[in-house]
Amino acid sequence: SPRVGRGEVHRLYPVAGARAMGCGPSRSGDSSEALLVAKEALLSEPPQTDFLRNLRLVATVLAVSLGSSLQFGFATGSLNNLEQIIPDALATYGNPIDIAQWALINSSFSVGGLLGSSGSFIPLARCGRRKTLLMANIFVFLSSFLMYYGTVWWVLLLGRVSIGVVAGVAQMAAGSYMTEIAPIGIRGSVGVCSQVGIVIGITLANFLTAPSFHALGSARHWRFVFLVPSAFALFQLVVLPFCPQSPSFLIQKYGAGRTLSTLVLLHKPSSAIEVLTELQAQVNTAGSGSAYTIPQLIGDVKLRKQLLVGVVIKVGVQFSGIDAIFYYSTLMFRHAHVANPQMATTLLSLVNLLMTFLAMLIMESAGRRRLMMTTWVGMCAGFSAIFISSYISEDLGVAQGAMANLEVCAMVLIIVAFAVGVGNVEGFLISEIMPVYAKDTLAAIGQPLNWIANLIVATLFPILFQTLGRYAYLIFVCLTAFFGGFTYFKVPETKGKTIAQVTSDFDNY
């Protein structure tokens, strides 16, 4: 047969390929012939298009991780070092705030995250991940406006809710989007980029607001901190519209033809055919092209184990105690008698960033399951070490200086363990265990629960810490031990596997 250029795929495949992949009218013997035509068209591409594929992938990853995931991280860390500067600034306007109002400003970020994750299910189904992320930038600009010009506490609260909505949408869409466009061989490393964006945001916020660096952490310049998210939103608005849409969305919304047209922009010919075949098989398994509703997913016995794993890991990320570290590390360092708690918090976020890059490098070789187990064992050991060293120092009065240093090292261990494992895997695990018609549905269940757990930890930990002292750490020792056991007995390895293979593996757990 004559060789067909890539441009012909767009003309031939919407009809021929649709028959080949089982969506559309077909005649006996037509499917194999149509699939051969599609393969021939793809295999005739010139090799230099590999550069363009890589460029599209890199551009999409940068636009999503810096334009969406970074917003989450930046909002998480932006108020930590401004806990005295902002209340003092509001007092100069005649609007002083108390500790309860400051706590509400902080925790309202989680409320916005809950609203964003819950409210994004319909936009994701109708518009896809790319358009949903783009639309969320409205709330970025709204947040910057409110935080920059706000002179009363409730305006700042609304600003935090607005940026929380962006974070909720990013948690629903960013990691899955990047995982879905990536070739299978680098899927994990690309999926980690969502967490990389979050950690870069935390580190950048801590750096800009730390008084020791003389950047924006002062009474004169603190409002400029909240214009930084708008700069990254503008970057995304310029780049992301030119990036490919998610194939998982396209296969459900527009069928095989348009999906293949996008896949050839991102994958090598053989990979494009393989991914399209898998996506179409997932859609056919659902019985219709539409996504599952929440009742349908809960009622599907075949996906019950995946549902349980997705929910437990989403909730486990927050109940592991990591948010107690991110939100209250300054309090913990002060309790450990660290000389400069704010600087220590900034350095801790830098460790988190470095370990996240390490996780990106080892994700494909180490595997998801092994890295998650590393998280639970490391965090359990870290919280145990903090409790033991605190007991030796405070109750026994032995080696107080050494025990304080041990507490700091244990906190670093917790950050390292989290960053190399669950902190990265959680962002894209749903895309690797759920078929295309149920991914967003599971996310619509798990992500709001994730934000509720976030709110619970952020609200209750300082109260428990004040009431129980070091015994509060034992709660996280028990929880991380439980999540470690759950992962060992219930979560299969997903590295380099198709959805069909992972689904089969779940039968053994």
Side-chain angles (χ1 to χ4, degrees), residues 78-231:
S78 60
L79 296 187
N80 199 5
N81 291 332
L82 299 177
E83 58 179 344
Q84 293 180 336
I85 293 175
I86 293 180
D88 289 346
L90 295 183
T92 61
Y93 291 105
N95 302 308
I97 62 174
D98 55 31
I99 188 63
Q101 291 169 321
W102 179 249
L104 284 175
I105 293 173
N106 273 284
S107 61
S108 60
F109 172 67
S110 298
V111 176
L114 179 60
L115 294 174
S117 58
S118 302
S120 61
F121 181 66
I122 293 178
L124 285 172
R126 293 183 178 179
C127 305
R129 307 195 192 287
R130 185 180 65 182
K131 289 184 179 179
T132 301
L133 291 174
L134 288 170
M135 289 187 293
N137 286 304
I138 295 173
F139 292 95
V140 177
F141 298 124
L142 177 60
S143 175
S144 291
F145 176 83
L146 293 172
M147 298 297 290
Y148 187 83
Y149 289 104
T151 58
V152 293
W153 72 273
W154 59 266
V155 174
L156 299 185
L157 183 146
L158 292 177
R160 291 284 288 173
V161 171
S162 297
I163 199 64
V165 170
V166 179
V169 173
Q171 284 288 84
M172 286 288 288
S176 298
Y177 183 15
M178 289 188 282
T179 302
E180 290 163 1
I181 66 172
I184 293 178
I186 59 171
R187 188 174 57 190
S189 296
V190 172
V192 168
C193 291
S194 176
Q195 183 65 19
V196 170
I198 294 174
V199 175
I200 289 175
I202 295 173
T203 305
L204 179 61
N206 286 331
F207 171 78
L208 291 177
T209 57
S212 300
F213 293 113
H214 306 288
L216 301 178
S218 65
R220 182 178 180 182
H221 298 113
W222 68 269
R223 289 188 182 273
F224 291 101
V225 171
F226 302 104
L227 298 182
V228 173
S230 290

Side-chain angles (χ1 to χ4, degrees), residues 348-369:
L348 199 65
S349 65
L350 182 60
V351 171
N352 190 18
L353 177 61
L354 294 176
M355 290 301 103
T356 302
F357 279 116
L358 175 63
M360 185 167 59
L361 296 176
I362 66 175
M363 183 63 65
E364 299 302 337
S365 59
R368 292 29 157 178
R369 189 171 184 270

Side-chain angles (χ1 to χ4, degrees), residues 446-461:
Q447 205 57 57
L449 293 176
N450 177 280
W451 282 105
I452 292 173
N454 183 304
L455 183 61
I456 290 173
V457 173
T459 304
L460 293 183
F461 178 76

Side-chain angles (χ1 to χ4, degrees), residues 2 44 90 95 144 238 252 311 315 327 344 359 363 367 397 505 507:
S44 65
L90 295 183
N95 302 308
S144 291
V238 171
Q252 298 178 87
V311 169
V315 173
Y327 290 144
M363 183 63 65
D505 289 346
D507 293 337

Side-chain angles (χ1 to χ4, degrees), residues 280-296:
Q280 191 58 47
Q282 294 174 38
V283 172
N284 290 340
T285 300
S288 67
S290 59
Y292 263 18
T293 62
I294 291 178
Q296 283 177 316

